[in-house]
Every structure is written in structure tokens, then in C-alpha cells.
Amino acid sequence: MAIDQIAFRHAMTQFGSGVTIPVTVDGAGQPRGFTANSFCSVAMDPPLVLVCLAHGAESYPAFRDAQRYAIHVLSADQGPVALRFAEKRADKFEDEQWSTGEDGLPELRGALARVSCEAHAVYDGGDHAILVGRVVEAKVDETDGQPLLYFRRKFLDAAA
Ligand SMILES: Cc1cc2nc3c(=O)[nH]c(=O)nc-3n(C[C@H](O)[C@H](O)[C@H](O)COP(=O)(O)O)c2cc1C
């Protein structure tokens, strides 16, 4: 018996998570990124993480083909940038919060952590692709900031 999509979505909203922004650069040199909460660590040896990306996302071809990408773990005050990257828009990176990291990929100021990855594998995940990245660099903002959390379709501030 197949569960209906509304019941499935509703159950998934009960799972609280952090929020991330994976970024890469496409074949034309344009920065690409999207908001994701499907991020998790996979393995220690080698150090692997994963994030799932919808085939219908504007940034899907760039991530499917990418050799490198970086994933930012957002801090409590980064709800606005999470909303911006959850929309299909051309001006996502036109903001002073962005610079270029040592890996040549966009870097978001104020994120709690940033992992820079080499593409390890892309697996079939139905209407999503499961992107598995091998972490080659990990940076943490050691100012003890609080995370941006997502629960029941809302952003929550852990400090509130
Ligand atoms: C909190 C939150 C988490 C999200 N997580 C994911 C995710 O893990 N995978 C995904 O494909 N889309 C996710 N989305 C939706 C994408 O961010 C959205 O479809 C966005 O438009 C993709 O950008 P693009 O179309 O420019 O690539 C999430 C949205 C929000 C608000």
C-alpha cells in the first residue's frame, strides 16, 4: 500500500534539523547554491557527507556534474539567506556576505561551519539525487554561535 504524499510530508515536518547551503560553480563559471536540510555525515574513513538535491532544481545540473562543492552550516541569524537560497532566482550571490574561499568556491560569512568536498558519488534517490562528497577541508567559526533550526516548516532560533 502506498502512503499518500501529504501524509509523508507531514511526518517529515516532525523531524527537526539544521539548515545548510551547498554551493558550487557551474561549467560557465556561475556560482550555484540551494538551501538544504537533507545534509548529514556518512562516514569517518574516508570522511563523507551527503546532501539530496531535487532533479527539478535550477542548480541540479551544476551539482550533478561538479568535481567540487562546499556546504555551509547556517547560524541562527541566517534565516534570510536560507530563504533567499530556497527560491529560484539569479541574484542569490549578489550580497556582501559572499567571498571566494581558498577552494575557489563561494564562501558565506557567519556560517557555523563550512566543509569543502570533492565529489565522491551520485546515487539515485527517486526524484532527488543523493550527492556524496568527500570532505577535504573543514572550517568552524569558533565563536560558539547558535544553529539555525528548521522544524514544522519554520525556522527556529535555538537560543530563543
Ligand atoms: C529549510 C529548507 C530545506 C530544504 N532542503 C532541501 C533539500 O535538502 N534538497 C532539495 O533539493 N531542496 C531543498 N529545499 C528546497 C530548495 O532550497 C529549493 O527548491 C530551491 O529553489 C532550490 O534552488 P534552485 O532551484 O535555484 O537550485 C529546502 C528548502 C528549505 C526552505
Side-chain angles (χ1 to χ4, degrees):
M1 191 181 77
I3 184 171
D4 75 67
Q5 287 195 359
I6 292 171
F8 174 55
R9 276 175 185 264
H10 185 53
M12 292 304 100
T13 64
Q14 309 305 310
F15 175 63
S17 71
V19 183
T20 69
I21 296 183
V23 296
T24 192
V25 173
D26 69 17
Q30 292 302 308
R32 297 282 179 176
F34 65 102
T35 298
N37 67 343
S38 57
F39 169 76
C40 70
S41 63
V42 173
M44 289 299 293
D45 185 15
L48 301 177
V49 294
L50 74 75
V51 66
C52 302
L53 176 56
H55 293 164
E58 296 276 339
S59 55
Y60 169 69
F63 280 90
R64 178 197 58 204
D65 298 342
Q67 300 298 310
R68 294 288 298 259
Y69 44 86
I71 303 174
H72 301 84
V73 177
L74 300 191
S75 60
D77 59 358
Q78 291 184 312
V81 68
L83 283 176
R84 187 182 182 95
F85 276 72
E87 292 174 7
K88 293 185 188 299
R89 49 194 285 177
D91 65 347
K92 285 181 178 179
F93 292 89
E94 286 174 20
D95 196 308
E96 72 285 353
Q97 301 176 85
W98 290 96
S99 59
T100 302
E102 282 174 20
D103 53 12
L105 301 173
E107 179 162 349
L108 175 63
R109 190 174 329 113
L112 293 186
R114 180 181 190 273
V115 289
S116 184
C117 302
E118 288 174 357
H120 178 78
V122 180
Y123 295 108
D124 174 23
D127 61 3
H128 283 56
I130 304 167
L131 308 171
V132 178
R134 182 185 181 118
V135 177
V136 292
E137 188 197 15
K139 280 170 67 171
V140 174
D141 177 334
E142 303 289 0
T143 58
D144 225 15
Q146 297 298 305
L148 182 65
L149 302 176
Y150 191 66
F151 179 56
R152 293 189 181 141
R153 298 197 176 95
K154 288 195 181 114
F155 294 115
L156 304 178
D157 180 343

